[in-house]
Amino acid sequence: MKKSFIYIVGLLLTLGSCSEEKQQEPEVPGTTPEEIILTVSPESLTFDENDASKNVVTVSSNTSWEATTSTPALVIDRSKGSSGESSIAISDAPVGESCKLTISTVPQSDGEKVITREVTVSREAAVVVPDRTVIYNNDFDREIAVKNTYWPYLDQFDGWKNGSGTGQGNETYDQMSVSVRSDWNSDYNPSADYKPYASGKNNLYFNKSGSFIAINGIEVGQERNFVLQFGSSENKMFDYTDLTVEVGNGSSWVSLDYTRPLNNNWELTTSEFSLQESSSNGTLSIRFRTTSGANMMRIDDVRLTNGDPSSQVIDFGSTIAYPPAELPVYGTNDLVVTHYGSINGQRVRNYTLLFDRDKHAALWVAYPLHACYRGYSGRTEAWAADPLIDASFQALLYGNPYCYYQDYSRGHQIPSGDRTVNDELNSHTFYASNMTPQNSSFNSGIWESLESKIRNNMCTDTLYVVTGCYFGDGYISTYDGNYNDSYDPAAKLCAVPTHYFKVILRTRTGNTGKAIGQCEASELKAIGFWLEHRNDYPETFSTDYCKSVEYIEQQTGFTFFPTVDNEVKQQCTPSEWAL
């Protein structure tokens, strides 16, 4: 009986002890302090003097932070904050410079890790308007148009005739279904490069598909090089196929390539072109015409000046407009965009690309390569979405921290190293549209080696380059928006190329001073490079990778260097190149 009593008492004491232990917080082995988190968005920002909402950096952290600037000229409204989400408004930035806004966590205890994030802030240089001779200018504002029952058509009201310039005086006009309107004026928040020209008041409105206005008989004398600029706006995302711009000599019309940002705002629209031969009668005509896709298209401030020799050469004899020499053939429904920048105040084309919305990648990127594009700016690391392409189609390779491909490097097509003359042109190479998923050893190995060898072939004339990727049978996909195998909610599958290629073209002597379209086949040389996308290439570059441009055309289905004879594209002579 005594033993039983002792047993029961011991059992009760044991249960009581267990009950007390359950009421205590358990100790978890290996517990560490809360992880410090700091994110900023965006990582790069272009200061906009007209829209303060674009000059805001969002900071998210679970601890206190401080902000510093690389220069006092970068003015911010706050230099510190606490946990949670905060914003830093940038009220001023140095013109024509790129500077840094640095945000760092403030340690709350000894030994606490400090996390730092940087935001690259740039501001476009003041627009330098070249000293050009104005041949024809019309702001359409001699008399303000008034809407009665409807806005007047061009043949019902002549207050839009306000031409000036050295070639004005004897011009005539043709039109169909174009009206003059004084609403949605061009001086309402125009872009920085259009601001010096935006007159407001009247603008021309194209009422339907097939509407056009032709300005005939502008006197240009023996001038052969021109810059045509005008303001344009469309009541949707601007589409190049909606507006055709043509130049004529009185008997034939040739379409011009032009460029402007893809949005529905008023933007400066520009075409630079040269004539193969001086106009036979010393006059030139310009025509603007809408197609079936146009939606409330408008133009204003048409301005024709003299220019510099251009690679877009107009030959009225054959009615062929030579595009930039590096530009492959593409269709009217293809998504093709061109990025421009400036070098020492002169507007230059940076590169053109053909973008595939489904694969979230450019199928080719075409660009001129010359010593003028090279300098000492270095890599801006300005990762961003291409502003000329809907961001939803682009790979998510920017922002913080989910800005990588899963298991692949962010591979440039036009290399950062080919655009080091200034931060503006270099930053364009970090657009997501220029990236494809590349094996890291391929990217830093054979691909980087080939990029360097291409640069070795620059000349006094221009070297023309097309870089591209190819998706063969059985290509695989990977995710964007990745960071250490964690994903942004917006991450999507992106196709992985099976092959990469480059094709290059230049004059043989390198110093002819002629446009490619003006050269004979014997004056030109071309070669291509075709690489399977794999990670086991030897360190030494091999001429086995060399192919003819014609071969790469056959593999990809593209037509490269369309202004040169096929015999040039059939060449494959590595010994003629610095490889």
Side-chain angles (χ1 to χ4, degrees):
M1 187 71 170
K2 185 181 289 186
K3 290 182 178 178
S4 298
F5 175 78
I6 293 172
Y7 172 78
I8 292 171
V9 171
L11 178 62
L12 290 173
L13 289 172
T14 301
L15 290 173
S17 175
C18 291
S19 175
E20 290 175 0
E21 289 178 359
K22 288 181 180 178
Q23 294 173 6
Q24 297 174 356
E25 288 293 328
E27 294 184 3
V28 180
T31 298
T32 59
E34 183 180 11
E35 180 184 1
I36 302 301
I37 298 174
L38 175 66
T39 62
V40 299
S41 178
E43 290 183 330
S44 62
L45 180 152
T46 301
F47 185 83
D48 189 335
E49 62 182 7
N50 297 313
D51 188 349
S53 67
K54 295 181 180 179
N55 306 328
V56 177
V57 175
T58 300
V59 181
S60 298
S61 180
N62 60 356
T63 189
S64 299
W65 52 266
E66 293 180 341
T68 58
T69 60
S70 60
T71 171
L74 182 62
V75 182
I76 57 178
D77 70 336
R78 63 188 304 173
S79 59
K80 59 181 62 178
S82 56
S83 61
E85 184 171 289
S86 307
S87 61
I88 300 175
I90 301 172
S91 57
D92 199 9
V95 176
E97 295 183 23
S98 179
C99 44
K100 298 290 186 182
L101 169 63
T102 303
I103 299 98
S104 301
T105 58
V106 178
Q108 304 300 305
S109 60
D110 292 341
E112 182 177 292
K113 180 181 179 182
V114 175
I115 298 177
T116 298
R117 306 293 185 204
E118 286 189 338
V119 179
T120 301
V121 180
S122 58
R123 184 173 183 178
E124 295 180 353
V127 177
V128 178
V129 180
D131 185 14
R132 306 284 195 191
T133 298
V134 177
I135 300 171
Y136 176 85
N137 183 78
N138 197 337
D139 60 11
F140 310 121
D141 293 341
R142 183 170 58 82
E143 182 181 341
I144 304 303
V146 176
K147 181 180 180 181
N148 293 316
T149 305
Y150 52 83
W151 292 103
Y153 286 91
L154 299 189
D155 59 350
Q156 298 172 325
F157 167 75
D158 65 1
W160 58 272
K161 293 182 179 180
N162 199 32
S164 61
T166 61
Q168 181 270 337
N170 296 315
E171 76 277 9
T172 61
Y173 301 92
D174 295 322
Q175 67 87 31
M176 184 181 76
S177 299
V178 177
S179 57
V180 190
R181 303 193 175 195
S182 57
D183 63 346
W184 190 244
N185 298 337
S186 61
D187 60 350
Y188 174 73
N189 195 27
S191 60
D193 56 352
Y194 182 36
K195 195 171 185 178
Y197 306 102
S199 62
K201 302 180 182 177
N202 292 338
N203 58 80
L204 303 190
Y205 179 93
F206 295 77
N207 291 58
K208 63 180 183 179
S209 172
S211 298
F212 74 88
I213 175 174
I215 308 168
N216 304 309
I218 301 171
E219 296 180 358
V220 297
Q222 297 302 303
E223 182 62 56
R224 292 174 55 188
N225 305 309
F226 301 93
V227 178
L228 172 63
Q229 293 183 306
F230 58 96
S232 65
S233 171
E234 186 169 13
N235 195 34
K236 64 172 185 176
M237 183 74 73
F238 188 90
D239 189 332
Y240 286 103
T241 63
D242 292 348
L243 179 65
T244 299
V245 181
E246 300 163 298
V247 62
N249 65 347
S251 59
S252 61
W253 293 96
V254 178
S255 294
L256 292 175
D257 285 336
Y258 61 89
T259 184
R260 56 148 285 161
L262 294 182
N263 55 44
N264 63 347
N265 300 327
W266 279 103
E267 294 282 358
L268 185 67
T269 310
T270 301
S271 178
E272 299 179 22
F273 63 96
S274 297
L275 302 184
Q276 181 77 9
E277 297 178 354
S278 299
S279 176
S280 59
N281 61 2
T283 67
L284 204 62
S285 301
I286 303 167
R287 183 166 67 183
F288 304 89
R289 179 166 51 89
T290 51
T291 66
S292 58
N295 187 350
M296 303 183 185
M297 183 71 71
R298 298 171 187 257
I299 68 169
D300 197 0
D301 304 308
V302 174
R303 178 185 177 93
L304 180 71
T305 69
N306 66 319
D308 299 317
S310 170
S311 57
Q312 182 174 201
V313 180
I314 307 301
D315 184 352
F316 288 118
S318 60
T319 66
I320 294 175
Y322 295 116
E326 75 276 7
L327 197 62
V329 173
Y330 60 90
T332 56
N333 294 323
D334 289 334
L335 177 51
V336 175
V337 300
T338 300
H339 289 286
Y340 287 81
S342 60
I343 298 177
N344 297 326
Q346 295 297 312
R347 186 171 180 272
V348 298
R349 68 183 185 279
N350 199 353
Y351 63 86
T352 301
L353 62 82
L354 167 64
F355 195 78
D356 188 309
R357 297 176 177 89
D358 297 324
K359 294 183 173 64
H360 313 299
L363 301 184
W364 52 251
V365 180
Y367 51 97
L369 186 53
H370 188 274
C372 70
Y373 288 95
R374 301 260 295 153
Y376 303 98
S377 70
R379 291 170 62 95
T380 59
E381 302 289 346
W383 301 96
D386 189 325
L388 301 186
I389 300 173
D390 190 322
S392 65
F393 294 125
Q394 301 177 58
L396 184 53
L397 304 174
Y398 48 90
N400 182 53
Y402 303 106
C403 57
Y404 301 95
Y405 291 114
Q406 182 186 31
D407 300 327
Y408 291 90
S409 295
R410 297 176 290 190
H412 286 66
Q413 296 212 61
I414 175 174
S416 165
D418 285 355
R419 293 295 187 261
T420 54
V421 65
N422 58 41
D423 285 351
E424 179 193 17
L425 268 64
N426 186 265
S427 67
H428 294 174
T429 71
F430 286 90
Y431 287 153
S433 58
N434 186 43
M435 302 298 144
T436 59
Q438 284 188 341
N439 288 316
S440 58
S441 59
F442 179 93
N443 183 26
S444 61
I446 185 65
W447 192 243
E448 184 177 16
S449 175
L450 180 56
E451 290 172 343
S452 177
K453 290 184 180 298
I454 297 297
R455 284 192 284 272
N456 291 339
N457 289 277
M458 293 190 303
C459 57
T460 304
D461 291 338
T462 301
L463 175 70
Y464 298 97
V465 185
V466 185
T467 295
C469 58
Y470 176 72
F471 300 87
D473 293 340
Y475 70 83
I476 61 175
S477 298
T478 189
Y479 279 99
D480 62 6
N482 178 268
Y483 178 71
N484 288 341
D485 290 329
S486 295
Y487 299 90
D488 188 283
K492 57 186 173 295
L493 282 171
C494 299
V496 179
T498 59
H499 297 79
Y500 285 91
F501 64 86
K502 288 181 181 288
V503 292
I504 60 177
L505 169 73
R506 53 161 278 190
T507 58
R508 287 188 173 277
T509 66
N511 59 0
T512 66
K514 297 163 67 174
I516 291 295
Q518 298 171 313
C519 293
E520 301 293 333
S522 60
E523 298 178 277
L524 303 173
K525 62 179 182 178
I527 197 169
F529 307 88
W530 181 256
L531 297 170
E532 185 180 350
H533 185 200
R534 63 177 201 265
N535 58 11
D536 60 348
Y537 281 94
E539 293 183 5
T540 304
F541 182 86
S542 172
T543 56
D544 291 341
Y545 313 140
C546 298
K547 302 292 182 183
S548 68
V549 174
E550 182 181 65
Y551 172 87
I552 298 176
E553 286 182 333
Q554 293 168 350
Q555 305 306 308
T556 62
F558 293 123
T559 299
F560 303 110
F561 309 135
T563 62
V564 306
D565 292 340
N566 284 337
E567 63 183 275
V568 177
K569 296 194 283 186
Q570 291 167 355
Q571 300 173 10
C572 183
T573 311
S575 61
E576 295 182 344
W577 298 85
L579 301 175

